[in-house]
Amino acid sequence: VTKDPVVQQAVFFLIVGVVVGQVGGLSESVLRATHRYHIGTFAGSTIRLGEGIGWIVGVILQFDYAGVALCGLMARSIGTLLSCSLAVRGTPFSWGVVGANRGELRAMIGPSSGVVLFNLSSALSLQGLSLVVAHGLGPAAVAIFNTYRTLARVAVQAASIVSHAVWPE
């Protein structure tokens, strides 16, 4: 764990970005549930693009790590707010827990746990291996390992493009 305050701030902003991303996933789900899958997919992709552009702007402006992370977070947050307002427009959905029902929440625990475990296993598979390689072989080996892994996953990414396109069907 580093004691450098700039790195700590950057990590904090990146973590907040992940949390904001989870909210963005909820708005995409609302759009999907209301037969506006295409809008949700477009919004999600646009938000990710905006976040990347935010990072690039931070680099161009020669900010430190925390400044670059904050630029990406601001872009993601603005995009997510717009996506959330778009998701509920013209629908009976609303944000909050006012209409929550304990029975429905209990019924959703099993299926939602499966989704969480799938995402967790994916994260462990992708990021965990990088951490193991870094610990065992050093940072230079991680760069080489991740390059080869990315090339090996081209087929997975191609299948993902098709699966996202036919998901509404």
Side-chain angles (χ1 to χ4, degrees), residues 73-119:
L73 173 60
M74 288 180 358
R76 176 173 281 283
S77 298
I78 291 167
T80 300
L81 284 172
L82 292 172
S83 177
C84 287
S85 66
L86 176 66
V88 296
R89 187 176 302 153
T91 70
F93 289 99
S94 65
W95 295 106
V97 295
V98 174
N101 171 321
R102 285 188 185 185
E104 287 179 356
L105 289 175
R106 269 190 235 111
M108 291 189 306
I109 288 174
S112 63
S113 298
V115 171
V116 169
L117 288 175
F118 179 77
N119 289 329

Side-chain angles (χ1 to χ4, degrees), residues 16-146:
V16 172
V18 169
V19 172
V20 171
Q22 295 299 312
V23 173
L26 290 173
S27 70
E28 286 183 53
S29 295
V30 170
L31 288 162
R32 190 178 307 130
T34 56
H35 306 291
R36 298 178 291 166
Y37 174 81
H38 59 290
I39 296 171
T41 301
F42 178 76
S45 297
T46 303
I47 291 168
R48 285 186 292 279
L49 176 63
E51 182 180 42
I53 290 170
W55 291 333
I56 291 169
V57 167
V59 170
I60 290 171
L61 295 175
Q62 299 181 353
F63 290 155
D64 58 14
Y65 295 133
V68 171
L70 181 60
C71 287
L73 173 60
M74 288 180 358
R76 176 173 281 283
S77 298
I78 291 167
T80 300
L81 284 172
L82 292 172
S83 177
C84 287
S85 66
L86 176 66
V88 296
R89 187 176 302 153
T91 70
F93 289 99
S94 65
W95 295 106
V97 295
V98 174
N101 171 321
R102 285 188 185 185
E104 287 179 356
L105 289 175
R106 269 190 235 111
M108 291 189 306
I109 288 174
S112 63
S113 298
V115 171
V116 169
L117 288 175
F118 179 77
N119 289 329
L120 182 61
S121 67
S122 178
L124 286 173
S125 168
L126 295 174
Q127 299 306 316
L129 282 174
S130 294
L131 293 172
V132 169
V133 170
H135 179 73
L137 302 174
V142 173
I144 295 167
F145 172 77
N146 284 338

